[in-house]
Amino acid sequence: MRRPTLYLAVLALAIVTAGCGDDSSDSSNSGGEGPIKVGQIVSLTGNYAPLGTENEKSVKLAVEQVNAAGGVLGRQLELVVRDDKSQPDQSVLAFNDIKGDVAAVIGSPFSNSALATIPLVDREKIPYISLTPADEQVKPIHPYVFVVPATSATYAARILAYLKAQGVTKLAVAYDGKSSYAKAGFNGTKEQAGEYGITLVATPEFQTTTTEFSAVFNQVRSSGAGALLVWATGPPGVALAKQYATAGLTTPVVFTGAQASRLWLEPVGAAAERATVASSVGVVGSTLPDGALKQAIEELAGPFQSKYGYAPPQFAQDGYTGVKLLVAAIEKAGSTDPEKVQKALEGLSLTTPNGTYTYSAEDHAGLSADFISINTVKAGAFVPTEWAAGQLATVAGK
C-alpha cells in the first residue's frame, strides 16, 4: 500500500485544504467547482454484458437528468466507467484504477465481481453502491457498501409468501452452484421455508455452464413438489425455461428478479407464458395506482422508453435507482466527503423506481419485500398476479 507515500499525500492534502480556509471542503470538492466524479464498474463484455449494458444505460440517463436539473451541490456529475469484463479480478483492477479520482463507485451487476471488490472498499472507505443482490454484501455489514436490488433472501421471503398463499407446502429448488446470487437465494429459501409451512423436497444443483436440464426435471418430477423455484442468472435461466415448457411437467415454475427482463423474455418466447417471475415493483409500475411510487417509476420509464424503444428492465431500475440514492446522500451530506456521504446513506429514506429505501447503520439493504412483485407472463409482458396486485396497492398508496 506504500503507506509512507500515502501518509505524505494525505498530509499535503490536509495542508492545502487548511490553507484554503474551508475545513468543510474535501479533495473532490475542489473548492466547490468542477464536476463530481462518480465511478461505475460495470459488465460491458463477457457473460454479464446483457445485464451491465442495461445498468449503464440507466445510470447515464439518471446522470443526464441530474445535470439537466442543475447538478448536485451546484456541480455537474461526471461518470468514470470501467468494464469488469464479467470477471471478478477485472473489477478489482478497475476499482484500484479509479479509487483516487471518484467520490463514490456504482458497482458491478455480477455478484462475484462485487464480492471480490468489497475488501478494497472496506480498506479505502469509498461509498460503494452495489447493483447486485448477494446477501454477503450486507451480512455482515460493510460500512461503505450499500445494496440497491432487493437481496436474494428478501426475494426468497416474498416468493415463499406467495407460494404459501397458493397452498404450496412442498417445494423443489434448482440453483446455480457457481453463482453467489443463486447460492444466497437458495440458502435464503432453505432458511425461511419453515416459517411459511413449506418443506424443500428436492434441491437439484446445476452449473453456470449447464445447457441441458433433464436431470433437474427428473428430480422435480419424482419429488411431489407443488412448485419449482429456480435461482439462476444469465443463459441457464433461458435454457431451463425453454426446456421446461417441453418437458411434460405440470408443476408451476417460478423465476426470480434475474429473469425480470426482456433479455429473458425475448429468447424464451412463448415458453415464458407458463412461468411466474418475481421482479422489482418498477417493472410493473404502469399497473400501480397513482402516488409517489408510481411517479418515481415514471421518471425513469418514460424517458428510458423514448430513448431506447423499450421499457426499462430490472437491471435498468437498479442502475437508475443507484444514482438517485447516491445523489440524495450527497445532497443530504452537503459534501462529497466519503465519511459524510456514508453517514448520510445510513440515515437515508427515499422513494425510487425500486421502492422506498430506508437505510440504517444496521441495514445496508434498505428495501423490504413489500416492493417485490410476483408476476405472470401474458402476451410477452410481466403482469402482477392477483395476489401481488393486492399487496402492491397497499405500499403504492403510501
Side-chain angles (χ1 to χ4, degrees):
M1 291 179 59
R2 298 182 294 177
R3 291 185 185 277
T5 302
L6 178 61
Y7 172 78
L8 290 174
V10 172
L11 180 60
L13 175 62
I15 292 172
V16 170
T17 302
C20 293
D22 184 0
D23 294 336
S24 66
S25 66
D26 56 79
S27 60
S28 59
N29 276 338
S30 301
E33 300 177 356
I36 297 172
K37 293 184 178 181
V38 175
Q40 184 183 13
I41 301 173
V42 60
S43 302
L44 298 178
T45 55
N47 288 342
Y48 285 82
L51 284 65
T53 53
E54 300 294 353
N55 285 159
E56 185 192 34
K57 288 175 183 176
S58 61
V59 166
K60 283 184 176 179
L61 176 60
V63 168
E64 289 170 3
Q65 290 180 344
V66 169
N67 287 341
V72 187
L73 305 181
R75 299 163 61 191
Q76 297 284 283
L77 291 180
E78 179 182 319
L79 283 175
V80 179
V81 180
R82 295 291 184 273
D83 180 10
D84 73 4
K85 304 176 184 178
S86 303
Q87 298 176 26
D89 63 328
Q90 293 299 311
S91 180
V92 170
L93 290 173
F95 183 88
N96 279 329
D97 183 43
I98 64 176
K99 65 185 181 184
D101 297 326
V102 299
V105 174
I106 297 173
S108 175
F110 182 26
S111 292
N112 295 18
S113 284
L115 292 171
T117 309
I118 284 174
L120 301 179
V121 176
D122 290 343
R123 184 184 72 192
E124 300 296 334
K125 298 181 179 180
I126 297 173
Y128 182 89
I129 311 300
S130 179
L131 302 188
T132 191
D135 293 79
E136 296 98 318
Q137 300 172 102
V138 293
K139 295 181 179 180
I141 292 290
H142 295 270
Y144 283 80
V145 177
F146 295 83
V147 171
V148 174
T151 65
S152 301
T154 304
Y155 264 99
R158 188 64 154 179
I159 292 167
L160 288 167
Y162 167 75
L163 292 173
K164 178 182 178 181
Q166 306 312 301
V168 173
T169 59
K170 296 181 179 180
L171 178 65
V173 182
Y175 67 101
D176 182 348
K178 294 297 184 180
S179 164
S180 296
Y181 164 74
K183 288 192 292 184
F186 168 69
N187 289 332
T189 305
K190 181 172 64 175
E191 292 167 3
Q192 299 176 82
E195 300 174 22
Y196 297 89
I198 294 175
T199 301
L200 303 191
V201 293
T203 56
E205 180 180 345
F206 56 87
Q207 308 299 313
T208 308
T209 54
T210 300
T211 58
E212 207 282 322
F213 292 90
S214 59
V216 171
F217 301 154
N218 287 337
Q219 289 193 51
V220 176
R221 186 177 285 109
S222 62
S223 70
L228 167 64
L229 172 58
V230 179
W231 288 97
T233 58
V238 172
L240 191 151
K242 294 176 73 171
Q243 293 172 33
Y244 197 80
T246 60
L249 285 163
T250 58
T251 308
V253 61
V254 182
F255 294 91
T256 71
Q259 281 71 53
S261 164
R262 69 185 184 93
L263 302 172
W264 178 81
L265 274 176
E266 291 180 358
V268 174
E273 299 291 319
R274 294 187 58 194
T276 299
V277 183
S279 78
S280 159
V281 65
V283 172
V284 295
S286 63
T287 68
L288 298 178
D290 291 340
L293 179 55
K294 188 169 185 176
Q295 181 179 346
I297 292 168
E298 289 176 344
E299 288 175 2
L300 163 63
F304 191 97
Q305 178 81 44
S306 297
K307 188 167 187 175
Y308 297 109
Y310 57 91
Q314 178 76 61
F315 313 111
Q317 309 282 342
D318 296 336
Y320 187 92
T321 293
V323 174
K324 288 292 190 179
L325 290 164
L326 178 59
V327 166
I330 292 172
E331 289 178 337
K332 182 177 180 179
S335 169
T336 58
D337 175 74
E339 184 177 358
K340 293 178 180 178
V341 174
Q342 187 268 348
K343 292 299 182 186
L345 280 164
E346 285 192 335
L348 188 65
S349 181
L350 186 71
T351 297
T352 77
N354 268 355
T356 300
Y357 289 77
T358 306
Y359 290 128
S360 70
E362 294 77 31
D363 182 3
H364 282 204
L367 195 64
S368 73
D370 294 335
F371 297 100
I372 295 174
S373 182
I374 308 297
N375 312 304
T376 55
V377 179
K378 294 183 179 179
F382 296 113
V383 179
T385 60
E386 184 178 349
W387 179 86
Q391 299 285 316
L392 295 175
T394 300
V395 296
K398 291 182 179 180

